[in-house]
Amino acid sequence: MVTKLQRRTASRRKLQFLPTLSDTKSVKRSSIVLNVLLQCHKLKVKLEEIHREYQNLMTIRNQYFTLLKHIQVSKEVKVEKVGEEFVVKVSCNKGRDKLISILEAFEELGLNVVRARVNCSHFFAMEAIAVAQDQKTTDINDVTQAILMAIEKQGGEHIKDSRQVSKC
């Protein structure tokens, strides 16, 4: 059984750590306990404030993503010829098989894609460098029109084509 003296010494040992937690210079037990309780209350208030701020930021984030879903990106196709290479920049709304349609258009024009960067997070964006397979002269306007047609291509047509290819 624990004696009163043992309990008292155990309690004093525990109280020796409290001044380090509360940054107090006081030696009174009641003052130390009050300072620690005050410190705990301040931390609790600060945590609640951080939680409210986090909730506000999450609400703003969700509103931002909702707005991004409703933004309509105009179709934009820029084609530049740099030496033997075509630098192609495309941006438009997300949709089914945009990348596949554009790559098929490159193939029909006889262009090989050397390097490409694609982003589909909120809208479709692509930057590509393509080179003609043979040394025939391909016009910038032809490439632009082919890409615009590929973007406007209906998703249903492409699905039919891909099913036929997969059956063969």
Side-chain angles (χ1 to χ4, degrees), residues 90 92-107 113 116-120 124-128 147 150-151 158:
V90 179
C92 60
N93 287 328
K94 284 191 337 186
R96 294 179 91 171
D97 304 324
K98 298 270 187 195
L99 180 61
I100 294 171
S101 299
I102 292 171
L103 292 176
E104 286 175 349
F106 281 146
E107 188 175 334
V113 177
R117 182 174 32 187
V118 179
N119 182 356
C120 298
F124 179 83
M126 180 178 105
E127 294 180 14
I147 293 172
I151 291 171
H158 185 73

Side-chain angles (χ1 to χ4, degrees), residues 129-146:
I129 298 175
V131 178
Q133 290 176 356
D134 48 13
Q135 298 303 325
K136 71 176 187 172
T137 307
T138 306
D139 188 25
I140 292 175
N141 292 331
D142 294 338
V143 175
T144 305
Q145 289 303 315

Side-chain angles (χ1 to χ4, degrees), residues 106-124:
F106 281 146
E107 188 175 334
E108 290 171 6
L109 290 171
L111 296 174
N112 287 332
V113 177
V114 178
R115 188 179 328 154
R117 182 174 32 187
V118 179
N119 182 356
C120 298
S121 55
H122 302 293
F123 56 90
F124 179 83

